[in-house]
PDB file of all heavy atoms in Angstrom:
ATOM      1  N   ALA S 525     114.126 102.743  91.494  1.00 86.00           N
ATOM      2  CA  ALA S 525     114.250 103.690  92.611  1.00 86.00           C
ATOM      3  C   ALA S 525     114.989 103.037  93.773  1.00 86.00           C
ATOM      4  O   ALA S 525     115.826 103.659  94.441  1.00 86.00           O
ATOM      5  CB  ALA S 525     112.876 104.157  93.057  1.00 86.00           C
ATOM      6  N   ILE S 526     114.713 101.773  94.019  1.00 87.00           N
ATOM      7  CA  ILE S 526     115.383 101.050  95.113  1.00 87.00           C
ATOM      8  C   ILE S 526     116.885 100.972  94.846  1.00 87.00           C
ATOM      9  O   ILE S 526     117.716 101.183  95.742  1.00 87.00           O
ATOM     10  CB  ILE S 526     114.782  99.652  95.293  1.00 87.00           C
ATOM     11  CG1 ILE S 526     113.350  99.761  95.844  1.00 87.00           C
ATOM     12  CG2 ILE S 526     115.641  98.789  96.219  1.00 87.00           C
ATOM     13  CD1 ILE S 526     112.621  98.433  95.868  1.00 87.00           C
ATOM     14  N   ALA S 527     117.213 100.667  93.587  1.00 86.00           N
ATOM     15  CA  ALA S 527     118.625 100.521  93.231  1.00 86.00           C
ATOM     16  C   ALA S 527     119.377 101.837  93.417  1.00 86.00           C
ATOM     17  O   ALA S 527     120.494 101.871  93.971  1.00 86.00           O
ATOM     18  CB  ALA S 527     118.752 100.033  91.785  1.00 86.00           C
ATOM     19  N   GLU S 528     118.767 102.926  92.990  1.00 84.00           N
ATOM     20  CA  GLU S 528     119.430 104.231  93.093  1.00 84.00           C
ATOM     21  C   GLU S 528     119.567 104.666  94.546  1.00 84.00           C
ATOM     22  O   GLU S 528     120.614 105.166  94.980  1.00 84.00           O
ATOM     23  CB  GLU S 528     118.649 105.280  92.294  1.00 84.00           C
ATOM     24  CG  GLU S 528     118.687 105.068  90.790  1.00 84.00           C
ATOM     25  CD  GLU S 528     120.105 105.140  90.224  1.00 84.00           C
ATOM     26  OE1 GLU S 528     120.942 105.913  90.758  1.00 84.00           O
ATOM     27  OE2 GLU S 528     120.398 104.389  89.275  1.00 84.00           O
ATOM     28  N   VAL S 529     118.540 104.497  95.349  1.00 85.00           N
ATOM     29  CA  VAL S 529     118.598 104.935  96.750  1.00 85.00           C
ATOM     30  C   VAL S 529     119.551 104.039  97.541  1.00 85.00           C
ATOM     31  O   VAL S 529     120.279 104.512  98.434  1.00 85.00           O
ATOM     32  CB  VAL S 529     117.191 104.942  97.375  1.00 85.00           C
ATOM     33  CG1 VAL S 529     117.270 105.279  98.858  1.00 85.00           C
ATOM     34  CG2 VAL S 529     116.297 105.946  96.660  1.00 85.00           C
ATOM     35  N   THR S 530     119.587 102.760  97.159  1.00 87.00           N
ATOM     36  CA  THR S 530     120.497 101.832  97.859  1.00 87.00           C
ATOM     37  C   THR S 530     121.948 102.249  97.614  1.00 87.00           C
ATOM     38  O   THR S 530     122.790 102.239  98.528  1.00 87.00           O
ATOM     39  CB  THR S 530     120.279 100.383  97.385  1.00 87.00           C
ATOM     40  OG1 THR S 530     118.938 100.017  97.705  1.00 87.00           O
ATOM     41  CG2 THR S 530     121.253  99.432  98.063  1.00 87.00           C
ATOM     42  N   ARG S 531     122.211 102.616  96.353  1.00 86.00           N
ATOM     43  CA  ARG S 531     123.555 103.059  96.025  1.00 86.00           C
ATOM     44  C   ARG S 531     123.901 104.319  96.802  1.00 86.00           C
ATOM     45  O   ARG S 531     124.996 104.466  97.351  1.00 86.00           O
ATOM     46  CB  ARG S 531     123.676 103.321  94.504  1.00 86.00           C
ATOM     47  CG  ARG S 531     125.090 103.721  94.034  1.00 86.00           C
ATOM     48  CD  ARG S 531     125.135 103.789  92.518  1.00 86.00           C
ATOM     49  NE  ARG S 531     124.231 104.767  91.965  1.00 86.00           N
ATOM     50  CZ  ARG S 531     124.466 106.110  91.990  1.00 86.00           C
ATOM     51  NH1 ARG S 531     125.556 106.583  92.496  1.00 86.00           N
ATOM     52  NH2 ARG S 531     123.569 106.941  91.457  1.00 86.00           N
ATOM     53  N   ALA S 532     122.978 105.237  96.892  1.00 85.00           N
ATOM     54  CA  ALA S 532     123.253 106.492  97.608  1.00 85.00           C
ATOM     55  C   ALA S 532     123.407 106.262  99.099  1.00 85.00           C
ATOM     56  O   ALA S 532     124.165 106.950  99.793  1.00 85.00           O
ATOM     57  CB  ALA S 532     122.118 107.488  97.351  1.00 85.00           C
ATOM     58  N   ALA S 533     122.704 105.240  99.624  1.00 82.00           N
ATOM     59  CA  ALA S 533     122.750 104.964 101.064  1.00 82.00           C
ATOM     60  C   ALA S 533     124.105 104.424 101.495  1.00 82.00           C
ATOM     61  O   ALA S 533     124.446 104.471 102.680  1.00 82.00           O
ATOM     62  CB  ALA S 533     121.660 103.973 101.430  1.00 82.00           C
ATOM     63  N   ARG S 534     124.907 103.955 100.512  1.00 85.00           N
ATOM     64  CA  ARG S 534     126.205 103.471 100.882  1.00 85.00           C
ATOM     65  C   ARG S 534     127.079 104.638 101.324  1.00 85.00           C
ATOM     66  O   ARG S 534     128.012 104.472 102.102  1.00 85.00           O
ATOM     67  CB  ARG S 534     126.869 102.778  99.678  1.00 85.00           C
ATOM     68  CG  ARG S 534     126.168 101.495  99.264  1.00 85.00           C
ATOM     69  CD  ARG S 534     127.026 100.731  98.242  1.00 85.00           C
ATOM     70  NE  ARG S 534     126.262  99.631  97.653  1.00 85.00           N
ATOM     71  CZ  ARG S 534     125.751  99.602  96.445  1.00 85.00           C
ATOM     72  NH1 ARG S 534     125.931 100.667  95.646  1.00 85.00           N
ATOM     73  NH2 ARG S 534     125.074  98.572  96.010  1.00 85.00           N
ATOM     74  N   THR S 535     126.727 105.820 100.819  1.00 83.00           N
ATOM     75  CA  THR S 535     127.460 107.026 101.213  1.00 83.00           C
ATOM     76  C   THR S 535     126.784 107.705 102.389  1.00 83.00           C
ATOM     77  O   THR S 535     127.445 108.159 103.329  1.00 83.00           O
ATOM     78  CB  THR S 535     127.546 108.005 100.021  1.00 83.00           C
ATOM     79  OG1 THR S 535     128.183 107.358  98.920  1.00 83.00           O
ATOM     80  CG2 THR S 535     128.317 109.274 100.396  1.00 83.00           C
ATOM     81  N   ASP S 536     125.429 107.754 102.336  1.00 83.00           N
ATOM     82  CA  ASP S 536     124.672 108.437 103.412  1.00 83.00           C
ATOM     83  C   ASP S 536     123.719 107.426 104.041  1.00 83.00           C
ATOM     84  O   ASP S 536     122.672 107.072 103.473  1.00 83.00           O
ATOM     85  CB  ASP S 536     123.886 109.613 102.824  1.00 83.00           C
ATOM     86  CG  ASP S 536     123.204 110.428 103.909  1.00 83.00           C
ATOM     87  OD1 ASP S 536     123.246 110.013 105.092  1.00 83.00           O
ATOM     88  OD2 ASP S 536     122.573 111.457 103.556  1.00 83.00           O
ATOM     89  N   ALA S 537     124.084 106.931 105.215  1.00 85.00           N
ATOM     90  CA  ALA S 537     123.309 105.872 105.887  1.00 85.00           C
ATOM     91  C   ALA S 537     121.888 106.313 106.233  1.00 85.00           C
ATOM     92  O   ALA S 537     120.989 105.493 106.443  1.00 85.00           O
ATOM     93  CB  ALA S 537     124.045 105.438 107.155  1.00 85.00           C
ATOM     94  N   SER S 538     121.653 107.626 106.289  1.00 87.00           N
ATOM     95  CA  SER S 538     120.297 108.092 106.653  1.00 87.00           C
ATOM     96  C   SER S 538     119.268 107.725 105.584  1.00 87.00           C
ATOM     97  O   SER S 538     118.061 107.778 105.824  1.00 87.00           O
ATOM     98  CB  SER S 538     120.309 109.610 106.863  1.00 87.00           C
ATOM     99  OG  SER S 538     120.622 110.292 105.637  1.00 87.00           O
ATOM    100  N   LEU S 539     119.728 107.327 104.388  1.00 85.00           N
ATOM    101  CA  LEU S 539     118.783 106.944 103.325  1.00 85.00           C
ATOM    102  C   LEU S 539     118.287 105.500 103.456  1.00 85.00           C
ATOM    103  O   LEU S 539     117.434 105.060 102.680  1.00 85.00           O
ATOM    104  CB  LEU S 539     119.492 107.132 101.971  1.00 85.00           C
ATOM    105  CG  LEU S 539     119.840 108.579 101.595  1.00 85.00           C
ATOM    106  CD1 LEU S 539     120.665 108.600 100.310  1.00 85.00           C
ATOM    107  CD2 LEU S 539     118.548 109.390 101.411  1.00 85.00           C
ATOM    108  N   GLU S 540     118.803 104.768 104.447  1.00 88.00           N
ATOM    109  CA  GLU S 540     118.390 103.373 104.623  1.00 88.00           C
ATOM    110  C   GLU S 540     116.874 103.259 104.877  1.00 88.00           C
ATOM    111  O   GLU S 540     116.208 102.317 104.446  1.00 88.00           O
ATOM    112  CB  GLU S 540     119.157 102.756 105.803  1.00 88.00           C
ATOM    113  CG  GLU S 540     120.613 102.449 105.519  1.00 88.00           C
ATOM    114  CD  GLU S 540     120.770 101.359 104.486  1.00 88.00           C
ATOM    115  OE1 GLU S 540     119.809 100.543 104.292  1.00 88.00           O
ATOM    116  OE2 GLU S 540     121.825 101.289 103.853  1.00 88.00           O
ATOM    117  N   THR S 541     116.322 104.213 105.602  1.00 90.00           N
ATOM    118  CA  THR S 541     114.874 104.150 105.888  1.00 90.00           C
ATOM    119  C   THR S 541     114.073 104.263 104.599  1.00 90.00           C
ATOM    120  O   THR S 541     113.009 103.645 104.459  1.00 90.00           O
ATOM    121  CB  THR S 541     114.461 105.283 106.853  1.00 90.00           C
ATOM    122  OG1 THR S 541     114.842 106.552 106.286  1.00 90.00           O
ATOM    123  CG2 THR S 541     115.161 105.119 108.185  1.00 90.00           C
ATOM    124  N   HIS S 542     114.574 105.029 103.633  1.00 90.00           N
ATOM    125  CA  HIS S 542     113.855 105.158 102.359  1.00 90.00           C
ATOM    126  C   HIS S 542     113.975 103.876 101.542  1.00 90.00           C
ATOM    127  O   HIS S 542     113.040 103.527 100.817  1.00 90.00           O
ATOM    128  CB  HIS S 542     114.418 106.345 101.582  1.00 90.00           C
ATOM    129  CG  HIS S 542     114.223 107.662 102.288  1.00 90.00           C
ATOM    130  ND1 HIS S 542     112.988 108.181 102.550  1.00 90.00           N
ATOM    131  CD2 HIS S 542     115.131 108.548 102.797  1.00 90.00           C
ATOM    132  CE1 HIS S 542     113.127 109.331 103.191  1.00 90.00           C
ATOM    133  NE2 HIS S 542     114.432 109.573 103.366  1.00 90.00           N
ATOM    134  N   VAL S 543     115.123 103.202 101.708  1.00 85.00           N
ATOM    135  CA  VAL S 543     115.267 101.910 101.027  1.00 85.00           C
ATOM    136  C   VAL S 543     114.224 100.937 101.554  1.00 85.00           C
ATOM    137  O   VAL S 543     113.567 100.204 100.799  1.00 85.00           O
ATOM    138  CB  VAL S 543     116.698 101.359 101.235  1.00 85.00           C
ATOM    139  CG1 VAL S 543     116.806  99.946 100.646  1.00 85.00           C
ATOM    140  CG2 VAL S 543     117.732 102.267 100.575  1.00 85.00           C
ATOM    141  N   GLU S 544     114.050 100.929 102.879  1.00 89.00           N
ATOM    142  CA  GLU S 544     113.060 100.019 103.497  1.00 89.00           C
ATOM    143  C   GLU S 544     111.639 100.364 103.039  1.00 89.00           C
ATOM    144  O   GLU S 544     110.828  99.473 102.751  1.00 89.00           O
ATOM    145  CB  GLU S 544     113.159 100.130 105.013  1.00 89.00           C
ATOM    146  CG  GLU S 544     114.465  99.588 105.577  1.00 89.00           C
ATOM    147  CD  GLU S 544     114.576  99.822 107.076  1.00 89.00           C
ATOM    148  OE1 GLU S 544     113.593 100.385 107.651  1.00 89.00           O
ATOM    149  OE2 GLU S 544     115.591  99.416 107.664  1.00 89.00           O
ATOM    150  N   ALA S 545     111.339 101.675 102.955  1.00 89.00           N
ATOM    151  CA  ALA S 545     109.990 102.088 102.540  1.00 89.00           C
ATOM    152  C   ALA S 545     109.720 101.671 101.104  1.00 89.00           C
ATOM    153  O   ALA S 545     108.636 101.165 100.768  1.00 89.00           O
ATOM    154  CB  ALA S 545     109.836 103.600 102.691  1.00 89.00           C
ATOM    155  N   LEU S 546     110.727 101.881 100.218  1.00 87.00           N
ATOM    156  CA  LEU S 546     110.548 101.493  98.814  1.00 87.00           C
ATOM    157  C   LEU S 546     110.420  99.970  98.679  1.00 87.00           C
ATOM    158  O   LEU S 546     109.667  99.466  97.832  1.00 87.00           O
ATOM    159  CB  LEU S 546     111.723 102.019  97.986  1.00 87.00           C
ATOM    160  CG  LEU S 546     111.735 103.548  97.770  1.00 87.00           C
ATOM    161  CD1 LEU S 546     113.074 103.983  97.147  1.00 87.00           C
ATOM    162  CD2 LEU S 546     110.574 103.952  96.864  1.00 87.00           C
ATOM    163  N   THR S 547     111.196  99.237  99.481  1.00 89.00           N
ATOM    164  CA  THR S 547     111.098  97.766  99.450  1.00 89.00           C
ATOM    165  C   THR S 547     109.679  97.323  99.826  1.00 89.00           C
ATOM    166  O   THR S 547     109.100  96.404  99.234  1.00 89.00           O
ATOM    167  CB  THR S 547     112.113  97.150 100.420  1.00 89.00           C
ATOM    168  OG1 THR S 547     113.432  97.574 100.035  1.00 89.00           O
ATOM    169  CG2 THR S 547     112.034  95.635 100.406  1.00 89.00           C
ATOM    170  N   ASP S 548     109.087  97.974 100.841  1.00 90.00           N
ATOM    171  CA  ASP S 548     107.721  97.633 101.272  1.00 90.00           C
ATOM    172  C   ASP S 548     106.729  97.937 100.153  1.00 90.00           C
ATOM    173  O   ASP S 548     105.796  97.150  99.918  1.00 90.00           O
ATOM    174  CB  ASP S 548     107.374  98.449 102.521  1.00 90.00           C
ATOM    175  CG  ASP S 548     106.013  98.104 103.059  1.00 90.00           C
ATOM    176  OD1 ASP S 548     105.787  96.914 103.366  1.00 90.00           O
ATOM    177  OD2 ASP S 548     105.140  99.000 103.199  1.00 90.00           O
ATOM    178  N   VAL S 549     106.931  99.044  99.430  1.00 87.00           N
ATOM    179  CA  VAL S 549     106.045  99.381  98.311  1.00 87.00           C
ATOM    180  C   VAL S 549     106.121  98.298  97.238  1.00 87.00           C
ATOM    181  O   VAL S 549     105.106  97.900  96.651  1.00 87.00           O
ATOM    182  CB  VAL S 549     106.419 100.758  97.737  1.00 87.00           C
ATOM    183  CG1 VAL S 549     105.690 101.009  96.405  1.00 87.00           C
ATOM    184  CG2 VAL S 549     106.087 101.851  98.726  1.00 87.00           C
ATOM    185  N   ARG S 550     107.370  97.833  96.955  1.00 87.00           N
ATOM    186  CA  ARG S 550     107.534  96.776  95.938  1.00 87.00           C
ATOM    187  C   ARG S 550     106.748  95.527  96.311  1.00 87.00           C
ATOM    188  O   ARG S 550     106.090  94.903  95.479  1.00 87.00           O
ATOM    189  CB  ARG S 550     109.017  96.457  95.781  1.00 87.00           C
ATOM    190  CG  ARG S 550     109.304  95.389  94.709  1.00 87.00           C
ATOM    191  CD  ARG S 550     110.755  95.007  94.697  1.00 87.00           C
ATOM    192  NE  ARG S 550     111.166  94.449  95.977  1.00 87.00           N
ATOM    193  CZ  ARG S 550     112.433  94.173  96.301  1.00 87.00           C
ATOM    194  NH1 ARG S 550     113.407  94.482  95.470  1.00 87.00           N
ATOM    195  NH2 ARG S 550     112.717  93.663  97.478  1.00 87.00           N
ATOM    196  N   ILE S 551     106.880  95.147  97.607  1.00 89.00           N
ATOM    197  CA  ILE S 551     106.169  93.925  98.058  1.00 89.00           C
ATOM    198  C   ILE S 551     104.654  94.088  97.875  1.00 89.00           C
ATOM    199  O   ILE S 551     103.959  93.185  97.394  1.00 89.00           O
ATOM    200  CB  ILE S 551     106.518  93.631  99.527  1.00 89.00           C
ATOM    201  CG1 ILE S 551     107.992  93.251  99.648  1.00 89.00           C
ATOM    202  CG2 ILE S 551     105.625  92.531 100.078  1.00 89.00           C
ATOM    203  CD1 ILE S 551     108.482  93.141 101.079  1.00 89.00           C
ATOM    204  N   ARG S 552     104.123  95.247  98.306  1.00 90.00           N
ATOM    205  CA  ARG S 552     102.681  95.489  98.205  1.00 90.00           C
ATOM    206  C   ARG S 552     102.225  95.464  96.729  1.00 90.00           C
ATOM    207  O   ARG S 552     101.184  94.873  96.404  1.00 90.00           O
ATOM    208  CB  ARG S 552     102.324  96.830  98.826  1.00 90.00           C
ATOM    209  CG  ARG S 552     102.434  96.848 100.343  1.00 90.00           C
ATOM    210  CD  ARG S 552     102.185  98.259 100.882  1.00 90.00           C
ATOM    211  NE  ARG S 552     102.260  98.282 102.326  1.00 90.00           N
ATOM    212  CZ  ARG S 552     101.234  98.037 103.152  1.00 90.00           C
ATOM    213  NH1 ARG S 552     100.059  97.723 102.643  1.00 90.00           N
ATOM    214  NH2 ARG S 552     101.391  98.087 104.459  1.00 90.00           N
ATOM    215  N   LEU S 553     103.019  96.099  95.862  1.00 86.00           N
ATOM    216  CA  LEU S 553     102.645  96.115  94.446  1.00 86.00           C
ATOM    217  C   LEU S 553     102.683  94.708  93.848  1.00 86.00           C
ATOM    218  O   LEU S 553     101.835  94.344  93.028  1.00 86.00           O
ATOM    219  CB  LEU S 553     103.596  97.041  93.684  1.00 86.00           C
ATOM    220  CG  LEU S 553     103.414  98.549  93.936  1.00 86.00           C
ATOM    221  CD1 LEU S 553     104.502  99.339  93.205  1.00 86.00           C
ATOM    222  CD2 LEU S 553     102.026  98.995  93.482  1.00 86.00           C
ATOM    223  N   THR S 554     103.685  93.934  94.273  1.00 86.00           N
ATOM    224  CA  THR S 554     103.798  92.561  93.754  1.00 86.00           C
ATOM    225  C   THR S 554     102.589  91.737  94.172  1.00 86.00           C
ATOM    226  O   THR S 554     102.006  90.997  93.367  1.00 86.00           O
ATOM    227  CB  THR S 554     105.094  91.899  94.274  1.00 86.00           C
ATOM    228  OG1 THR S 554     106.227  92.688  93.848  1.00 86.00           O
ATOM    229  CG2 THR S 554     105.230  90.486  93.756  1.00 86.00           C
ATOM    230  N   ASP S 555     102.201  91.829  95.479  1.00 87.00           N
ATOM    231  CA  ASP S 555     101.036  91.064  95.980  1.00 87.00           C
ATOM    232  C   ASP S 555      99.767  91.474  95.249  1.00 87.00           C
ATOM    233  O   ASP S 555      98.953  90.630  94.845  1.00 87.00           O
ATOM    234  CB  ASP S 555     100.850  91.298  97.474  1.00 87.00           C
ATOM    235  CG  ASP S 555     101.963  90.634  98.302  1.00 87.00           C
ATOM    236  OD1 ASP S 555     102.651  89.753  97.741  1.00 87.00           O
ATOM    237  OD2 ASP S 555     102.089  90.989  99.506  1.00 87.00           O
ATOM    238  N   THR S 556      99.582  92.776  95.072  1.00 87.00           N
ATOM    239  CA  THR S 556      98.371  93.253  94.403  1.00 87.00           C
ATOM    240  C   THR S 556      98.342  92.779  92.952  1.00 87.00           C
ATOM    241  O   THR S 556      97.285  92.357  92.448  1.00 87.00           O
ATOM    242  CB  THR S 556      98.300  94.788  94.451  1.00 87.00           C
ATOM    243  OG1 THR S 556      98.290  95.222  95.814  1.00 87.00           O
ATOM    244  CG2 THR S 556      97.061  95.304  93.745  1.00 87.00           C
ATOM    245  N   ALA S 557      99.497  92.836  92.274  1.00 80.00           N
ATOM    246  CA  ALA S 557      99.555  92.375  90.879  1.00 80.00           C
ATOM    247  C   ALA S 557      99.209  90.901  90.796  1.00 80.00           C
ATOM    248  O   ALA S 557      98.510  90.460  89.873  1.00 80.00           O
ATOM    249  CB  ALA S 557     100.941  92.647  90.309  1.00 80.00           C
ATOM    250  N   THR S 558      99.723  90.123  91.765  1.00 83.00           N
ATOM    251  CA  THR S 558      99.434  88.687  91.776  1.00 83.00           C
ATOM    252  C   THR S 558      97.933  88.444  91.952  1.00 83.00           C
ATOM    253  O   THR S 558      97.335  87.588  91.287  1.00 83.00           O
ATOM    254  CB  THR S 558     100.207  87.995  92.923  1.00 83.00           C
ATOM    255  OG1 THR S 558     101.612  88.212  92.707  1.00 83.00           O
ATOM    256  CG2 THR S 558      99.923  86.518  92.966  1.00 83.00           C
ATOM    257  N   GLU S 559      97.292  89.171  92.878  1.00 84.00           N
ATOM    258  CA  GLU S 559      95.852  89.009  93.139  1.00 84.00           C
ATOM    259  C   GLU S 559      95.019  89.415  91.929  1.00 84.00           C
ATOM    260  O   GLU S 559      94.020  88.757  91.589  1.00 84.00           O
ATOM    261  CB  GLU S 559      95.447  89.831  94.370  1.00 84.00           C
ATOM    262  CG  GLU S 559      96.020  89.287  95.671  1.00 84.00           C
ATOM    263  CD  GLU S 559      95.791  90.232  96.842  1.00 84.00           C
ATOM    264  OE1 GLU S 559      95.217  91.320  96.609  1.00 84.00           O
ATOM    265  OE2 GLU S 559      96.179  89.900  97.977  1.00 84.00           O
ATOM    266  N   LEU S 560      95.432  90.484  91.243  1.00 81.00           N
ATOM    267  CA  LEU S 560      94.705  90.903  90.048  1.00 81.00           C
ATOM    268  C   LEU S 560      94.831  89.861  88.949  1.00 81.00           C
ATOM    269  O   LEU S 560      93.885  89.600  88.199  1.00 81.00           O
ATOM    270  CB  LEU S 560      95.222  92.262  89.568  1.00 81.00           C
ATOM    271  CG  LEU S 560      94.909  93.454  90.491  1.00 81.00           C
ATOM    272  CD1 LEU S 560      95.573  94.722  89.937  1.00 81.00           C
ATOM    273  CD2 LEU S 560      93.412  93.652  90.607  1.00 81.00           C
ATOM    274  N   SER S 561      96.033  89.247  88.839  1.00 77.00           N
ATOM    275  CA  SER S 561      96.245  88.196  87.840  1.00 77.00           C
ATOM    276  C   SER S 561      95.343  86.998  88.126  1.00 77.00           C
ATOM    277  O   SER S 561      94.737  86.415  87.226  1.00 77.00           O
ATOM    278  CB  SER S 561      97.714  87.758  87.842  1.00 77.00           C
ATOM    279  OG  SER S 561      97.921  86.704  86.924  1.00 77.00           O
ATOM    280  N   ALA S 562      95.225  86.650  89.447  1.00 79.00           N
ATOM    281  CA  ALA S 562      94.366  85.533  89.828  1.00 79.00           C
ATOM    282  C   ALA S 562      92.900  85.848  89.532  1.00 79.00           C
ATOM    283  O   ALA S 562      92.119  84.974  89.131  1.00 79.00           O
ATOM    284  CB  ALA S 562      94.554  85.227  91.319  1.00 79.00           C
ATOM    285  N   TYR S 563      92.481  87.101  89.772  1.00 76.00           N
ATOM    286  CA  TYR S 563      91.096  87.500  89.503  1.00 76.00           C
ATOM    287  C   TYR S 563      90.763  87.311  88.023  1.00 76.00           C
ATOM    288  O   TYR S 563      89.717  86.773  87.665  1.00 76.00           O
ATOM    289  CB  TYR S 563      90.890  88.956  89.920  1.00 76.00           C
ATOM    290  CG  TYR S 563      89.486  89.458  89.635  1.00 76.00           C
ATOM    291  CD1 TYR S 563      88.439  89.187  90.515  1.00 76.00           C
ATOM    292  CD2 TYR S 563      89.221  90.193  88.475  1.00 76.00           C
ATOM    293  CE1 TYR S 563      87.153  89.636  90.239  1.00 76.00           C
ATOM    294  CE2 TYR S 563      87.941  90.644  88.196  1.00 76.00           C
ATOM    295  CZ  TYR S 563      86.902  90.366  89.088  1.00 76.00           C
ATOM    296  OH  TYR S 563      85.628  90.792  88.831  1.00 76.00           O
ATOM    297  N   VAL S 564      91.727  87.755  87.146  1.00 71.00           N
ATOM    298  CA  VAL S 564      91.499  87.590  85.703  1.00 71.00           C
ATOM    299  C   VAL S 564      91.450  86.116  85.339  1.00 71.00           C
ATOM    300  O   VAL S 564      90.613  85.676  84.538  1.00 71.00           O
ATOM    301  CB  VAL S 564      92.598  88.312  84.900  1.00 71.00           C
ATOM    302  CG1 VAL S 564      92.475  88.008  83.402  1.00 71.00           C
ATOM    303  CG2 VAL S 564      92.525  89.814  85.132  1.00 71.00           C
ATOM    304  N   ALA S 565      92.352  85.305  85.970  1.00 71.00           N
ATOM    305  CA  ALA S 565      92.386  83.865  85.675  1.00 71.00           C
ATOM    306  C   ALA S 565      91.122  83.162  86.126  1.00 71.00           C
ATOM    307  O   ALA S 565      90.729  82.130  85.564  1.00 71.00           O
ATOM    308  CB  ALA S 565      93.614  83.240  86.344  1.00 71.00           C
TER     309      ALA S 565
END
């Protein structure tokens, strides 16, 4: 989703905010996945 919206934002700059929101979601999901992995370990 980040890749597709980033590509579209090159044409329409108003989509940059959605790129930032999706990037934040990725970070949160990555941190949570890491914590769950540690819990299992």
Side-chain angles (χ1 to χ4, degrees):
I526 291 172
E528 292 299 327
V529 175
T530 298
R531 183 173 61 76
R534 293 191 190 105
T535 302
D536 186 354
S538 64
L539 294 174
E540 286 294 338
T541 56
H542 297 297
V543 174
E544 292 175 2
L546 288 170
T547 301
D548 183 57
V549 169
R550 182 186 61 188
I551 293 171
R552 289 175 179 272
L553 288 175
T554 301
D555 290 343
T556 300
T558 300
E559 291 171 358
L560 292 176
S561 177
Y563 178 82
V564 173

